[in-house]
Amino acid sequence: MRAEDLLFQDARHVWHPFTQASTAPTPIAIARGEGPYLITADGERLLDLISSWWVNLHGHAHPHIAAAIARQAGTLEQVIFAGFTHAPAVTLATRLAERLPGGLSRIFFSDNGSTAVEAALKIALQACYNRGEGQRRRILALEGGYHGDTFGAMSAGQSSGFYAPFADKLFDVTFLPYPETWADDADVEAKEAQALATLNRVLDEQGGETAALLLEPLLQGSTGMRLCRPAFLNEVVRRVRARGILVIFDEVMTGFFRMGRMWAAEHLTETPDLVCLSKGLTGGFLPMGITACTQPLYEAFQGDTFDRAFAHGHSYTANPLACAAALASLELLETAQTRQSVARIGETHARWQPELSAHPNLEHARGLGTVAAVNLRGAGGYGGDTSLRLRQFFLERGLLLRPLGNVLYLLPPYCVEDEHLDAAYRAVLDAAQTFGGPS
Ligand SMILES: Cc1ncc(COP(=O)(O)O)c(C=O)c1O
């Protein structure tokens, strides 16, 4: 299809996510991907510095994953997963169980990040119910968290601010303050102390009625790449678990070396009872979600009657193609080359941080692992005018960067070269000059 025909039909029939079609620029037609590049229908090369909504790990159209999917497609493309099983799912579950921390040895498959979170919330609530602790109905979460766009995930992410039309349909969640921090933050200890004091009060009032705490470990992505310190999270997890409350880590975005280690949880000493995975799970090739939990939690669902079972599932549960992609991606993640790239990206981010911090129009430079972010003073919120103009500014320089409001961030695929990152940082400094101002 010619690019103009494609865009004409797109405008007539397609509904794009997180987009105000009335004001958004015409979408860019992408013909193919190659390593860190997306290549437009007009042949222009765009450097994908956000890994296409944080999913792509090894670069676009990576031949190792493409070949694994093709082989699997010629063997078994799909089979009902109730009452049946298959080698790609079992191998993937085994590999993840070996790799996950804290005895998270049971793997439940779903379709994306939101469903991985929904399954985690439902497992936690039903485990309490099945164990005779039916009074534990409440969910705790952190202010500023984002967990997806299904109803349970929205309820636990209410503070992200996108849900006004559904407010009356969301269930009540207790939110704790989130002590966001950055490189030269003098107030972090005071913020943490205040958050822990709130936690103590909440635990005294609601501890016995709470089933689970859900949080994005170390980095809140969607609400602005907001970091917190591992020691704070360790303390939260310790206090919550001491009250018999289950802990769910939403590693949908942080997993698979995004934070420099295989899991954000590897920066902590405390471990969760459940973890949610998606995004990078298949290297960015196919949608899949996973909820992993401990064996004791799994055992809470055993019994003679079906009503103790987890009556939850999706048509494409453990799709063999997605499992094959995930296995191929894990093989790539295990290579020395990937480890070196992850470390190198982290070092490059760190090398640029002083220059960002010194710029008068930028503030709160921060980063961990392969993710780096900085705030542009004086710019508006998500979907605001400056945010849209910034996207355009970067696209004109051949860079796919998609600021979250005033937050400029880099979250590249691991095949990105230093010279790519240097070009991106120079563009960020140019943008600071062009768009920044006093806040
Ligand atoms: C931490 C986190 N959890 C859950 C989700 C939802 O994932 P999905 O968009 O695949 O439903 C996201 C998506 O950005 C996320 O960042």
Side-chain angles (χ1 to χ4, degrees), residues 8 14 25 30-31 36 52 57 61 102 105 159 184 190 298 325 339 341-342 383 427:
F8 179 74
V14 178
I30 298 299
S52 280
L57 296 186
S105 60
S159 44
D184 50 356
Y298 177 73
R339 304 298 173 85
S341 301
V342 166

Side-chain angles (χ1 to χ4, degrees), residues 139-413:
I139 300 295
L140 256 180
L142 294 180
E143 281 170 5
Y146 173 82
H147 301 286
D149 295 335
T150 49
F151 275 87
M154 283 199 292
S155 298
Q158 285 173 42
S159 44
S160 71
F162 299 138
Y163 306 142
F166 320 106
D168 63 319
K169 298 287 175 274
L170 304 181
F171 59 77
D172 186 25
V173 167
T174 302
F175 291 98
L176 302 171
Y178 182 77
E180 178 189 7
T181 191
W182 46 84
D184 50 356
D185 179 14
D187 302 326
V188 61
E189 273 156 27
K191 287 185 280 188
E192 289 177 351
Q194 193 237 328
L196 290 172
T198 307
L199 174 63
N200 282 350
R201 188 169 41 73
V202 166
L203 290 178
D204 285 345
E205 285 166 11
Q206 304 175 355
E209 301 157 27
T210 301
L213 164 71
L214 168 66
L215 57 86
E216 290 167 88
L218 292 183
L219 182 69
Q220 292 188 334
S222 298
T223 50
M225 300 296 156
R226 288 151 39 95
L227 282 168
C228 73
R229 300 200 299 185
F232 166 75
L233 282 189
N234 278 329
E235 194 51 40
V236 170
V237 173
R238 260 195 295 276
R239 292 186 193 190
V240 159
R241 287 186 105 178
R243 303 291 185 114
I245 297 168
L246 297 164
V247 175
I248 307 169
F249 280 3
D250 175 352
E251 292 237 21
V252 164
M253 186 270 216
T254 53
F256 305 102
F257 288 105
R258 266 295 157 216
M259 310 307 292
R261 301 187 183 165
M262 181 70 165
W263 318 112
E266 288 182 3
H267 290 275
L268 307 181
T269 49
E270 298 299 314
T271 54
D273 302 282
L274 296 119
V275 73
C276 308
L277 308 175
S278 187
K279 291 205 184 272
L281 173 59
T282 63
F285 273 66
L286 286 165
M288 181 157 73
I290 277 180
T291 309
C293 75
T294 58
Q295 181 66 15
L297 212 40
Y298 177 73
E299 279 163 16
F301 291 75
Q302 309 309 302
D304 297 334
T305 56
F306 184 76
D307 57 8
R308 288 183 70 82
F310 189 44
H312 178 109
H314 303 280
S315 311
Y316 283 94
T317 298
N319 172 253
L321 304 182
C323 291
L327 284 167
S329 177
L330 284 180
E331 282 162 11
L332 293 174
L333 284 174
E334 297 297 341
T335 62
Q337 195 189 346
T338 302
R339 304 298 173 85
Q340 284 157 9
S341 301
V342 166
R344 177 181 48 78
I345 293 167
E347 284 159 20
T348 306
H349 285 330
R351 177 160 57 73
W352 279 94
Q353 204 156 325
E355 199 164 337
L356 300 184
S357 295
H359 197 288
N361 295 347
L362 296 174
E363 62 182 351
H364 302 170
R366 55 201 181 272
L368 185 62
T370 70
V371 184
V374 68
N375 295 5
L376 183 58
R377 289 179 200 265
Y382 190 94
D385 193 40
T386 309
S387 166
L388 295 177
R389 282 167 53 219
L390 276 164
R391 280 184 210 167
Q392 205 52 37
F393 175 91
F394 291 120
L395 285 172
E396 282 160 14
R397 285 156 182 75
L399 305 171
L400 171 50
L401 276 169
R402 206 168 182 277
L404 293 157
N406 69 332
V407 179
L408 306 176
Y409 73 92
L410 270 62
L411 195 153

